[in-house]
Amino acid sequence: MSRDLTKEQERLLRTAFRMPAVQTMVSRKSSITNAFVNAIIPVIEPTAHEIADALELLEMSPDDVRCSYCGDPATEWDHLRPLVVGRRPTGFISEIGNLVPSCGKCNQSKGNKDWEAWIRSTAPLAPARRGVADLEHRIQRLRAYALWRPVEPVDFAAMVGPEHYAEHWHRLERAIDYMKECQVFADTLRATIAAAHRKG
């Protein structure tokens, strides 16, 4: 159906409709970087006794595991100290002393920030901003948890040798460069397909 539109009607229609963002390989750069980082971070599975000790210290029971930060039902275990900062490993690893139960909202909001600064912050979905009532008690409990099994960062480069460590990051840069090259080729294919579709 064809119709004449005023400029205001056209503006309103353009505001009402949004094309999905074009996905590019280059827009996946942070995902690829995180994959390279996480690929070398050790994961130490806890024993059942360690899990029991962790939950007891956090004042939780196995049949009612709650977010350590806000008290909502837990959906995952979050790294208390971040694994990645500035596109590189911090040296902390996945082990029970560096993991606490979390809900998705808190985990996403916290990201790689310092847990105590974040929990008190006005960041979106942070417990202080959401008005969590027993926040100070939660902070004291998390401080005690952090002291329960002191976790020190691991020097990955020293363990594998500086040459091997540098080679890993060189491979990441090569992978990103190749993705950029592939994106240029994909852009030409997309333009050709769009032009053929318009004609057809």
Side-chain angles (χ1 to χ4, degrees):
M1 158 182 9
S2 136
R3 62 179 68 166
D4 292 328
L5 300 172
T6 66
K7 287 191 187 279
E8 179 60 14
Q9 287 171 321
E10 186 171 338
R11 186 191 67 76
L12 285 171
L13 288 167
R14 292 279 176 205
T15 303
F17 179 80
R18 287 213 194 327
M19 286 293 291
V22 174
Q23 295 297 314
T24 67
M25 293 174 218
V26 178
S27 68
R28 301 289 186 214
K29 180 177 174 180
S30 62
S31 298
I32 298 299
T33 300
N34 282 338
F36 266 75
V37 171
N38 285 298
I40 64 171
I41 295 174
V43 175
I44 310 298
E45 290 281 341
T47 66
H49 288 294
E50 289 172 326
I51 297 168
D53 290 346
L55 291 174
E56 183 179 345
L57 188 57
L58 292 167
E59 300 173 15
M60 298 180 199
S61 63
D63 58 348
D64 187 24
V65 180
R66 298 274 165 172
C67 177
S68 305
Y69 306 120
C70 75
D72 284 355
T75 56
E76 55 222 71
W77 284 64
D78 176 46
H79 294 96
L80 198 57
R81 302 159 193 88
L83 301 186
V84 183
V85 171
R87 299 179 60 213
R88 291 295 182 267
T90 59
F92 293 111
I93 67 173
S94 291
E95 56 182 310
I96 192 73
N98 194 32
L99 290 164
V100 294
S102 175
C103 67
K105 289 183 290 193
C106 283
N107 194 359
Q108 289 175 5
S109 174
K110 178 176 155 286
N112 63 4
K113 302 174 194 76
D114 171 80
W115 73 265
E116 192 165 349
W118 163 79
I119 205 171
R120 295 179 187 278
S121 77
T122 58
L125 301 178
R129 183 168 181 172
R130 287 164 45 207
V132 171
D134 58 347
L135 193 61
E136 287 307 315
H137 179 67
R138 291 184 176 285
I139 290 169
Q140 293 308 319
R141 204 164 50 197
L142 285 165
R143 283 180 181 166
Y145 189 87
L147 294 172
W148 166 56
R149 294 176 63 116
V151 176
E152 294 296 327
V154 174
D155 187 344
F156 295 164
M159 290 182 162
V160 300
E163 298 82 15
H164 281 89
Y165 195 66
E167 175 61 20
H168 183 68
W169 305 116
H170 177 67
R171 288 171 184 246
L172 167 62
E173 295 309 319
R174 280 176 32 209
I176 290 170
D177 287 344
Y178 185 61
M179 285 171 62
K180 290 176 184 173
E181 180 186 323
C182 291
Q183 185 61 54
V184 170
F185 184 70
D187 288 343
T188 63
L189 294 181
R190 185 174 62 238
T192 302
I193 293 165
H197 177 68
R198 280 193 293 269
K199 285 182 188 171

